[in-house]
Amino acid sequence: MLRFSPRFLRRVPVMSASEALQDVHDGASIALGGFGFCGVAFDLLAELNRKQTKNLSLTSITMAGPEFGTGPLARDKQIKKITATFIGNNKVLSDRLMRGEFEAEFCPIGSMIDRLQAAGSGMTAFYTPTGFATPIETGRVPRRWAQDGSGAIAEYSEPRETRFINGRWCVFEQALPHDFAFVRAWKADRRGNLVFRATARNSNPSIARSAKVCIVEAEHIVEPGELDPNHIHLPGVYVHRLVQPAAPKRVAEYIMTREAGASSDSAAEDRANSTRDRIARRAALEVEKNMIINLGIGIPTLVSNYVPEEMDAVCQGENGLLGTGPHPLPGEVDTDITNASKQTITIAPNGSSVFDMSESFTMIRGGHLDLTILGALQVSSTGDIASWFVPGKLLTGMGGAMDLVNGCERVVVTMEHTEKSGASRVKQECTIPLTGKAKVQTLITNLAVFQFHTSPYGIRHMELTELAEGVTLEEVKAKTEAKFTISPTLKTMPLAPVIHH
């Protein structure tokens, strides 16, 4: 019988970045932690670039970093394939992607997180409703572009197997294992136990679990016993090597601040009467007391400005925060605290929590949120939503919207009614790739509000219920391609009041 002895607890070696990456070989698959610039192992990526290791298959939620991060790897032609949910404003990488220099597999965030978790737990595959009735299912997600720089799509994804399970159609997803993982932690002990800080935890635990060898860039490394076991975020069993940078890089992709003191009443009124803010003010009326809500990118981010404190609504961030606060004051910026738009924010002081993205997407995909408010490019007469790709333009990814429209109890869409050209964005049928089919309950535009209803026979239709102030029924009819009915109680669109701080 073995008797307990401290020597049975291994010590994880601490080494330089060069030593830690010595066996990272050409053709390796590497999972990269982080969301935007938050929680990214920048020193390990810089060393990978210095080594000039080639034919790499890289997985990351967001392929951030034109000047540091993944940008230099793309610049130096080190990449064979990326698997990502969003590449954002990394022009160095996106330019080369559009020239066909490497392959891309785009995946919804929740599906990617679960694929990473599956790899870490020994599962080979699973089924999920996310992506059904979209190009993910049909095999029409662009995978490689023509090398002549024309922007023509040279290769698409493969169609997915589908199955009807517990009353829902689902698509087949495979686990996503890796040779190596690059993880950023705040603190580590010599057993490999990790503590992350604020939203820098994001994808890092799932990334670590997915790999045969996990290399951790830690800001602080302490001796065993110095970290409280109750506060460990990732046990050392997943960690194989530790690196402590001399000067850890702490940057944010978008540093957003607010002005100290109250804005003038006239300035607040001017902002509140812009087209986008008026849409947001109407959307704020969809928020009920004590709701847990998720706000998408674009117009939805403005909604929180018009939700009164007494509603006590809690806003969830996909990157791992329940209780998002306002942007920080200039002297209070913390690059470890960002939102799903990768902007610096604060954490609300009244009972918030931080967690990793597997927890975040369990909330979303498991139906635990009351409401999501999303932006869109098009909405159809039956409540289909298209929000992630316009063929012929740069594909940056689909983010978490596919997960949100499948998991949230209510889906509200906010968008401008027409394109700049005057073409309607409220379509009889969407003409661009779908995010979800028959998922929208309420559509709010600068002209009107529509509600979507389902008959006992499963047939959906849209009903005009509100007109914006100064907008006529004839104008809405002229600018709406979709067929709709008119509510017998059609009224003027109400707006949430302006909140003066």
Side-chain angles (χ1 to χ4, degrees):
M1 179 181 294
L2 290 174
R3 292 178 298 173
F4 172 77
S5 170
R7 66 188 178 89
F8 289 114
L9 290 174
R10 63 167 189 155
R11 282 180 174 255
V12 175
V14 178
M15 54 186 71
S16 67
S18 177
E19 292 168 331
L21 272 62
Q22 191 169 9
D23 59 346
V24 177
H25 51 84
D26 288 352
S29 59
I30 308 174
L32 309 174
F35 189 93
F37 289 171
C38 187
V40 173
F42 286 113
D43 277 53
L44 298 183
L45 285 169
E47 177 60 24
L48 186 64
N49 181 231
R50 190 197 66 78
K51 277 171 53 72
Q52 287 295 295
T53 312
K54 303 292 186 182
N55 295 319
L56 298 170
S57 294
L58 304 179
T59 295
S60 179
I61 299 296
T62 60
M63 289 283 170
E67 297 176 1
F68 37 79
T70 57
L73 304 177
R75 178 198 64 205
D76 294 348
K77 301 183 184 298
Q78 293 176 254
I79 301 174
K80 175 184 176 182
K81 176 184 177 182
I82 63 168
T83 302
T85 70
F86 193 74
I87 59 175
N89 294 324
N90 190 342
K91 195 171 187 302
V92 175
L93 186 139
S94 62
D95 284 353
R96 285 155 179 80
L97 173 63
M98 295 298 287
R99 292 202 296 264
E101 292 187 11
F102 51 84
E103 177 187 350
E105 179 182 353
F106 287 101
C107 181
I109 298 180
S111 292
M112 179 180 284
I113 290 291
D114 281 352
R115 291 174 69 190
L116 294 166
Q117 290 285 109
S121 62
M123 292 173 58
T124 56
F126 58 90
Y127 287 91
T128 175
T130 297
F132 180 75
T134 76
I136 289 179
E137 179 217 331
T138 58
R140 298 297 293 174
V141 180
R143 197 158 190 147
R144 185 183 288 274
W145 278 259
Q147 295 184 351
D148 61 8
S150 65
I153 298 168
E155 182 182 343
Y156 288 93
S157 60
E158 294 292 325
R160 299 293 179 83
E161 178 187 335
T162 61
R163 186 169 293 185
F164 194 67
I165 303 172
N166 292 335
R168 304 183 74 182
W169 280 103
C170 302
V171 298
F172 184 70
E173 293 280 7
Q174 296 188 54
L176 196 55
H178 298 88
D179 299 322
F180 298 91
F182 291 179
V183 165
R184 170 78 171 262
W186 180 40
K187 293 180 180 179
D189 69 17
R190 293 294 302 274
R191 305 294 187 205
N193 298 309
L194 304 184
V195 176
F196 302 95
R197 186 171 178 275
T199 62
R201 193 183 323 183
N202 52 61
S203 67
N204 274 293
S206 299
I207 290 289
R209 297 183 186 104
S210 76
K212 297 174 185 175
V213 177
C214 176
I215 306 171
V216 175
E217 176 182 308
E219 295 183 38
H220 307 280
I221 299 176
V222 301
E223 290 302 312
E226 291 189 44
L227 298 180
D228 186 336
N230 293 298
H231 297 162
I232 300 299
H233 298 142
L234 187 75
V237 67
Y238 299 107
V239 176
H240 304 90
R241 300 167 193 170
L242 294 172
V243 174
Q244 186 171 14
K249 187 181 292 293
R250 298 178 63 83
V251 290
E253 193 161 355
Y254 302 108
I255 294 180
M256 302 289 289
T257 59
R258 72 183 193 275
E259 295 179 4
S263 301
S264 68
D265 288 352
S266 61
E269 291 288 347
D270 287 344
R271 283 194 301 272
N273 284 307
S274 70
T275 297
R276 291 163 61 86
D277 277 77
R278 288 179 72 85
I279 297 171
R281 288 169 64 189
R282 172 59 185 86
L285 298 178
E286 298 295 311
V287 179
E288 299 175 9
K289 193 171 180 62
N290 298 322
M291 271 188 168
I292 307 295
I293 64 174
N294 179 287
L295 302 178
I297 294 171
I299 293 173
T301 62
L302 303 172
V303 172
S304 61
N305 297 332
Y306 303 104
V307 177
E309 287 186 13
E310 56 265 27
M311 297 302 291
D312 202 23
V314 179
C315 187
Q316 191 252 21
E318 296 161 40
N319 55 324
L321 173 60
L322 196 60
T324 60
H327 295 303
L329 297 170
E332 298 175 352
V333 171
D334 187 332
T335 57
D336 283 343
I337 306 175
T338 62
N339 61 15
S341 297
K342 298 173 286 186
Q343 303 168 337
T344 51
I345 55 164
T346 56
I347 297 175
N350 52 345
S352 299
S353 57
V354 291
F355 34 83
D356 67 34
M357 292 182 73
S358 65
E359 189 75 65
S360 179
F361 278 85
T362 295
M363 297 176 188
I364 292 169
R365 289 158 74 100
H368 303 287
L369 303 188
D370 299 308
L371 171 69
T372 185
I373 302 177
L374 300 173
L377 300 170
Q378 293 180 357
V379 171
S380 80
S381 61
T382 56
D384 300 345
I385 174 175
S387 64
W388 62 281
F389 180 43
V390 177
K393 295 187 178 181
L394 173 66
L395 170 56
T396 58
M398 66 271 296
M402 289 188 184
D403 303 292
L404 286 161
V405 299
N406 277 281
C408 288
E409 185 172 323
R410 286 199 66 233
V411 177
V412 173
V413 169
T414 58
M415 68 180 192
E416 295 192 33
H417 205 97
T418 61
E419 305 280 359
K420 291 181 180 178
S421 65
S424 179
R425 298 170 69 183
V426 187
K427 300 288 192 179
Q428 183 61 24
E429 293 185 6
C430 291
T431 58
I432 57 177
L434 293 185
T435 304
K437 190 170 183 62
K439 299 298 183 183
V440 180
Q441 279 86 44
T442 302
L443 170 62
I444 302 169
T445 78
N446 53 310
L447 301 183
V449 175
F450 297 90
Q451 303 295 342
F452 292 84
H453 307 287
T454 305
S455 75
Y457 305 101
I459 299 172
R460 297 194 100 218
H461 74 278
M462 63 189 294
E463 179 186 35
L464 174 66
T465 58
E466 300 172 19
L467 292 173
E469 184 178 353
V471 174
T472 65
L473 178 58
E474 288 69 28
E475 182 181 359
V476 172
K477 286 180 176 180
K479 295 181 177 180
T480 306
E481 179 189 298
K483 296 177 182 177
F484 59 87
T485 60
I486 302 170
S487 171
T489 57
L490 181 65
K491 64 179 182 179
T492 300
M493 184 193 301
L495 301 178
V498 180
I499 299 173
H500 299 285
H501 297 284

